[in-house]
Amino acid sequence: MDVDYGIRKAARLGQTRLPDGRLLGWAEWGPVDGTPVLLCPGAATSRGLAFGGGVVDAAGVRLVSVDRPGLGTSDPAPERTLTSWATDIRHLIRERALRAPSAVGFSQGAPFALALAASGLVNAVAVVSGSDEIAHPRFTHSLNPQVRGMVDAVVADAVAAEDSFADFGDASALWELIITTSAEPDRAVYTDPVFQRAFRQAMDEAFDQGPAGYARDTILAMSPWPFDPTDITVPVDLWYGRQDTSPVHSPDLGASLTRMIPTATRHLLPTAGGSLLWTHAEDVLHTLLAHSR
């Protein structure tokens, strides 16, 4: 029996022009008058890899996945920050009439989704297998040694580190890294023929403009966050799988982040891995929607 991980082609594709002239690319699924949910995709993937394709229509969700600047169809912004990302999304919300949206941040997309919450742009957030604030001192002694070295390199010389990430970054290299660092439950998802084809296509699209967008994302993910998680006031659900072995997600699977965010609820699924955005999409979406209805 084939497993359906909710991979569907987008119902709508487009770009929105920002005040400085740049274009921000997006893709949408679900009814255009549905409850808006913004997706901040994982590392080095484009707007095209969404989730919950079998759920969004029935749930009345207008899922909007956005290419970050320099990836996919979004124009680059070389000096961008998590704060400038929130400014871009503020404009997108207004132009696309995304009234009272929620947000989902998957993997490296987590700090981007939380930045929207810290800026008061969304009414709830689901962090799924999210990258934590790994530059925070609370993780000084618990990071994977290779990741610790990357964080230290960013602190020592962010420009040189960004160049290094760009030299490494291409779709094939990152695909191999994902497969080799994933546990068996995740490899089963990622190597499913339908899912793998969509995943690889989204990675290829992310690098259409070269590796600079990926490199900038990685710098932001490995730097201290420019907002204080304790100031977040909207509901935040932190979803982690006990089988998640990714070295760049949360070293403690969101435990300390749950304590830092006053409104956070942690969901630790014992048999799930890092791919739970696709294996548990209905749970993630319905829990998120309960905050806005």
Side-chain angles (χ1 to χ4, degrees):
M1 179 178 176
D2 292 335
V3 178
D4 183 358
Y5 294 116
I7 299 298
R8 303 286 189 277
K9 289 186 176 180
R12 297 169 294 278
L13 294 170
Q15 294 170 294
T16 294
R17 191 166 296 281
L18 299 171
D20 64 2
R22 287 182 294 119
L23 292 171
L24 199 65
W26 48 264
E28 292 189 358
W29 293 257
V32 72
D33 61 348
T35 302
V37 175
L38 290 161
L39 173 62
C40 300
T45 53
S46 72
R47 61 184 179 173
L49 185 65
F51 73 103
V55 179
V56 291
D57 285 299
V61 169
R62 179 185 177 186
L63 183 66
V64 185
S65 180
V66 185
D67 282 335
R68 291 189 284 276
L71 286 85
T73 57
S74 288
D75 289 337
E79 302 300 320
R80 63 186 168 94
T81 64
L82 291 175
T83 303
S84 68
W85 161 254
T87 300
D88 288 350
I89 296 302
R90 186 184 302 276
H91 184 77
L92 179 72
I93 290 170
R94 183 170 59 249
E95 291 297 306
R96 297 292 299 158
L98 303 175
R99 296 179 181 84
S102 300
V104 174
F106 172 68
S107 186
Q108 198 177 84
F112 294 89
L114 291 172
L116 302 183
S119 297
L121 297 178
V122 295
N123 59 21
V125 174
V127 167
V128 183
S129 305
S131 295
D132 210 321
E133 189 180 10
I134 57 177
H136 194 280
R138 72 183 189 275
F139 292 132
T140 298
H141 302 295
S142 58
L143 288 181
N144 169 286
Q146 184 176 6
V147 176
R148 175 79 263 165
M150 295 167 72
V151 171
D152 290 344
V154 171
V155 171
D157 189 337
V159 174
E162 191 164 355
D163 289 341
S164 176
F165 295 146
D167 288 341
F168 169 80
D170 67 57
S172 294
L174 286 166
W175 168 256
E176 290 302 320
L177 181 64
I178 290 167
I179 293 302
T180 56
T181 59
S182 293
E184 183 53 38
D186 292 327
R187 282 196 295 270
V189 175
Y190 298 150
T191 59
D192 170 83
V194 174
F195 190 94
Q196 181 174 342
R197 184 164 54 251
F199 199 168
R200 294 299 302 268
Q201 180 178 343
M203 295 182 79
D204 289 340
E205 290 173 353
F207 282 93
D208 275 348
Q209 302 180 59
Y214 158 76
R216 187 63 183 172
D217 268 7
T218 306
I219 288 291
L220 298 182
M222 294 191 171
S223 300
W225 293 349
F227 57 88
D228 187 343
T230 64
D231 292 335
I232 292 175
T233 59
V234 301
V236 176
D237 287 285
L238 301 167
W239 295 85
Y240 288 93
R242 177 70 74 181
Q243 307 305 314
D244 185 0
T245 55
S246 169
V248 291
H249 289 168
S250 176
D252 62 0
L253 298 178
S256 60
L257 188 57
T258 304
R259 293 191 293 269
M260 293 186 72
I261 300 176
T263 53
T265 301
R266 183 177 179 235
H267 309 266
L268 184 60
L269 308 185
T271 61
S275 58
L276 67 86
L277 184 64
W278 296 281
T279 60
H280 293 74
E282 189 167 6
D283 294 336
V284 171
L285 276 176
H286 283 293
T287 302
L288 185 65
L289 290 175
H291 297 307
S292 58
R293 290 179 175 171

